[in-house]
Structures are given as structure tokens and as C-alpha cells.
Amino acid sequence: MANAVDTKPLVLILLGPPGAGKGTQARILEEAFGLVQLSTGDLLRAAVAEGTPAGLAAKAVMEAGGLVSDEIVLAILKDRMAGPDVSAGVILDGFPRTAVQAAALDDLLAETGQRVDAAVSLDVDDEAMIARVAGRYSCALCGEGYHDSFKIPAVAGVCDKCGGTEFRRRPDDTAETARARLETYHSQTAPLIDHYDRLGVLARVDAMGSIADVRAALARVVGAVAA
């Protein structure tokens, strides 16, 4: 019950491989609990556009073709988390990715008496996830999503939503790419899971269930730490 005594904003981290539903569930949590999803890419773009000191530093690095350092990302995150619109809490997306970044985030949060309230691992079955990702396609006109096995148009070749007849697949939605992404994810995330398990804030959710089932499980986790 990290926030039972004080009113510090909640800090929630969603861990999960591509296709696990992090984006969908983050949007649901935003609406249900008033949280704000913060993705590393969006934060960097906003900071650069606003011309903040950290944003200007990031812009210089990116224009030189370099990778933005953890220090700059943390500075941008610190600025963003001071905003009035995140008073209820945040969902961190894409950061941290390594144990070193996780430790740095812990130190940053400690400066304001905060901590990661819950790190939720959206657990998947690798082979089922590969099949899920590899079968995805969408309407080229309206973007409605479909799947070779799980969601096909009611009329073959015609989008249910807009009637379009052109469809597209992302070039990286292949079994080979999905398998490589999963291997990378597991190798990078295993240390993070250990880190948050040691801190006693790790929760695991079966992400292979329905959107509603995953939503309910996540709501229980967030509800518990927000109580």
C-alpha cells in the first residue's frame, strides 16, 4: 500500500513483449484510474519541441546521430512527472529496459519520496504470441485490425468497418521477426523482473487471456497499490 499514507502519484510499469497488449491495457488503465501513459519516444519528442534544457540536449545528440543517454531520458522524465496532469500517477512505457536504468529510476523517484508502486509482467506463451503477431493485418483505408485466425472480415476481402477492399501487413509482422523480438525481450527483461521481485513490487498477469480478463487482473493490482 505504497500510497495509503501520502498522496504521491502512483508509478506503474508494464513489462511485456510486443503484441502482449501493453498499449491497449495502458489506455484502459488511463481511463479507469486517471493515470497518464508516458512513453520514452513521446517524452523525447515533446521535450525537443518545447525546447527544455533536457530536450535541447537530446536534440543535439539525435542530430549528431547518437543515442540519447539514460541521464537525459531521466531528466526529461523528471520534468514530465512534475506536471500537474500526472497527479494521479503514471504508466511508464519503454523505460526502464535494463537493470541499470531501473536502479537509476529508483534513485530519481527517491528524490521526491516516490518509488515504483507496481511492476506488472504481462506473461505470454511464446509460440502462441508468435502466431498472434504473424497473423495480423489491417484495412489499408481505415486501419481496422484483423487476424488470419482470430478475426477475419465477415465478408472475405471486405473491411467490416468501412467496406474497404485493400489490406496491408506490417513488414515486421512475421514469425521470424516475432521470435527474434521475444528472445531479445526475455534476455533484456529477466533482470528487470528479478529487480522488481526483490523490491517486492512485481506482479504477474497472464496476458494470453481476453482483453477483459487482463483488464480485470490489472485493475486488481492497481487498485491494491492505490488503496
Side-chain angles (χ1 to χ4, degrees):
M1 303 296 180
N3 288 31
V5 176
D6 57 46
T7 57
K8 298 293 185 183
L10 285 174
V11 179
L12 176 68
I13 294 173
L14 290 184
L15 303 172
K22 294 190 302 297
T24 297
Q25 295 299 333
R27 287 190 292 274
I28 292 171
L29 289 172
E30 283 185 306
E31 295 178 3
F33 293 93
L35 306 177
V36 176
Q37 181 183 13
L38 301 180
S39 73
T40 306
D42 290 344
L43 287 172
L44 284 170
R45 285 187 287 272
V48 169
E50 293 169 8
T52 66
L56 292 175
K59 181 180 180 181
V61 172
M62 290 187 289
E63 288 182 343
L67 293 175
V68 179
S69 68
D70 291 349
E71 290 76 15
I72 293 175
V73 173
L74 284 164
I76 291 173
L77 180 60
K78 181 179 181 180
D79 290 343
R80 183 66 182 87
M81 290 183 67
D85 62 323
V86 300
S87 58
V90 298
I91 306 166
L92 297 184
D93 179 7
F95 191 90
R97 291 185 183 273
T98 67
V100 171
Q101 291 176 347
L105 176 62
D106 291 341
D107 291 341
L108 173 67
L109 294 172
E111 294 176 8
T112 55
Q114 295 174 267
R115 69 168 200 163
V116 172
D117 294 286
V120 184
S121 174
L122 298 178
D123 295 338
V124 303
D125 175 275
D126 281 7
E127 292 307 312
M129 182 58 59
I130 290 168
R132 179 188 289 183
V133 171
R136 296 188 301 196
Y137 64 99
S138 62
C139 173
L141 186 60
C142 72
E144 180 72 5
Y146 294 96
H147 193 280
D148 291 330
S149 301
F150 309 130
K151 182 185 177 184
I152 59 176
V155 177
V158 180
C159 176
D160 297 339
K161 186 174 181 181
C162 74
T165 57
E166 296 292 329
F167 296 87
R168 62 188 174 195
R169 295 178 188 269
R170 289 171 48 182
D172 55 354
D173 275 351
T174 66
E176 294 76 14
T177 300
R179 184 169 283 108
R181 283 180 170 179
L182 281 166
E183 290 173 356
T184 299
Y185 170 77
H186 289 310
S187 66
Q188 290 181 342
T189 307
L192 283 179
I193 289 176
D194 291 342
H195 176 80
Y196 290 118
D197 194 21
R198 287 194 299 271
L199 292 180
V201 297
L202 179 70
R204 308 194 81 122
V205 169
D206 180 4
M208 300 308 297
S210 68
I211 291 176
D213 288 342
V214 177
R215 176 181 62 198
L218 281 170
R220 287 192 292 272
V221 172
V222 178
V225 297

